[in-house]
Amino acid sequence: MSKMELLKNRTNIFLKKKKQNWEVYTSSDGSKVCSLLQQRRINIPPNLSILATINTSDESIYYLDSAFKRRWGWEYVKAPVGTFNEESIPEELRDVKLVSDAKEIEWWSDYSYYIVGINELIKSNYQVIRRIEDKQIGWWFIKPENGKVDLSEVKDKLMFYLWDSVFARDKRPLEKFLSTPNKQVKLTAYSDFIDVVEEFTQKVCELGFSSYVSKPSEF
């Protein structure tokens, strides 16, 4: 007997016992499920809804086929980019701070500025980044703990994502963003990028802060 046949027999025995137990406890639904599984079938109720989120062009898989997309109801969710205010930020993230060694960053610690700043950086380089909307990050790209996001997580997760995915083809936009009239930054290896983490986070924060407005806006 092959392994597949052995597995099939064991499955049938298991389902038969389960069905008998449910019949004892007068569970018609459970008995019906077992009968369907024994026939290698499933019964989908007419009121079943499936809710999910997805990037339409994740780099690790094939792009979603248009024919597949048409079979679903879609709702576009805009990334945190452009003008925003406190009401635009999820309530759970409004007081989240960026910290380094458990201490708040000196120049500015509001984490929301960094999220918007990163997306503004990505959007401003649309000419060299393919599918920029799928490259932008959401509010929960890094999940805070106890109202804090550590700078080490920014280095290990966010900066690596920018280096390896967003600007994988061309690092010149990052070099231009980090360079000043008095200092030209050259990024040859990822370690070069990590070495300027403080300069990078400060510039990103300033970019996000410049998008903050006092009047209500919506994402």
Side-chain angles (χ1 to χ4, degrees):
M1 183 180 293
S2 67
K3 289 184 179 180
M4 186 61 69
E5 291 173 330
L6 182 62
L7 178 62
K8 184 178 180 180
N9 287 340
R10 288 180 176 177
T11 302
N12 286 334
I13 293 171
F14 171 78
L15 290 172
K16 184 177 181 180
K17 289 182 179 180
K18 280 293 182 181
K19 184 178 180 181
Q20 291 172 347
N21 290 338
W22 272 316
E23 287 174 345
V24 170
Y25 292 103
T26 64
S27 175
S28 59
D29 290 337
S31 178
K32 188 182 298 183
V33 169
C34 281
S35 296
L36 288 169
L37 290 175
Q38 285 179 308
Q39 301 171 53
R40 305 297 185 268
R41 295 169 54 202
I42 59 172
N43 186 26
I44 299 177
N47 62 344
L48 175 67
S49 296
I50 299 175
L51 302 179
T53 60
I54 189 171
N55 276 353
T56 54
S57 57
D58 194 308
E59 292 291 340
S60 63
I61 59 175
Y62 291 109
Y63 296 129
L64 286 180
D65 183 79
S66 296
F68 179 79
K69 292 179 184 178
R70 292 199 305 270
R71 287 160 174 78
W72 296 83
W74 291 81
E75 179 182 352
Y76 173 74
V77 179
K78 183 181 177 182
V81 66
T83 56
F84 75 108
N85 68 3
E86 187 174 347
E87 293 181 4
S88 309
I89 307 168
E91 187 175 351
E92 304 90 332
L93 297 178
R94 291 176 185 173
D95 296 322
V96 172
K97 304 297 182 182
L98 183 66
V99 300
S100 178
D101 297 326
K103 297 179 181 178
E104 293 186 10
I105 302 296
E106 291 183 5
W107 56 84
W108 206 276
S109 59
D110 285 25
Y111 180 60
S112 59
Y113 294 159
Y114 296 90
I115 297 295
V116 177
I118 288 292
N119 287 335
E120 285 294 326
L121 173 63
I122 293 172
K123 185 179 178 181
S124 66
N125 288 284
Y126 67 92
Q127 293 179 322
V128 295
I129 300 174
R130 296 176 59 192
R131 298 178 179 268
I132 61 168
E133 288 195 279
D134 285 324
K135 297 294 193 300
Q136 295 176 73
I137 64 174
W139 290 115
W140 300 96
F141 188 85
I142 297 177
K143 187 177 180 179
E145 291 189 9
N146 300 318
K148 298 176 182 178
V149 170
D150 197 273
L151 190 61
S152 62
E153 291 185 274
V154 173
K155 289 192 295 185
D156 296 337
K157 186 173 183 178
L158 179 54
M159 292 181 69
F160 183 77
Y161 167 70
L162 294 173
W163 180 269
D164 195 57
S165 296
V166 181
F167 296 99
R169 296 171 178 266
D170 191 351
K171 303 299 188 292
R172 286 175 294 181
L174 288 176
E175 294 174 342
K176 181 179 178 181
F177 180 66
L178 288 163
S179 295
T180 65
N182 299 323
K183 180 183 178 182
Q184 294 299 307
V185 174
K186 182 65 177 176
L187 302 176
T188 304
Y190 178 59
S191 57
D192 299 327
F193 192 28
I194 292 299
D195 288 342
V196 292
V197 59
E198 291 191 4
E199 294 93 328
F200 175 75
T201 50
Q202 184 170 358
K203 281 180 171 288
V204 164
C205 178
E206 292 170 352
L207 197 58
F209 179 72
S210 66
S211 298
Y212 186 85
V213 292
S214 57
K215 62 181 180 180
S217 63
E218 295 182 359
F219 277 130

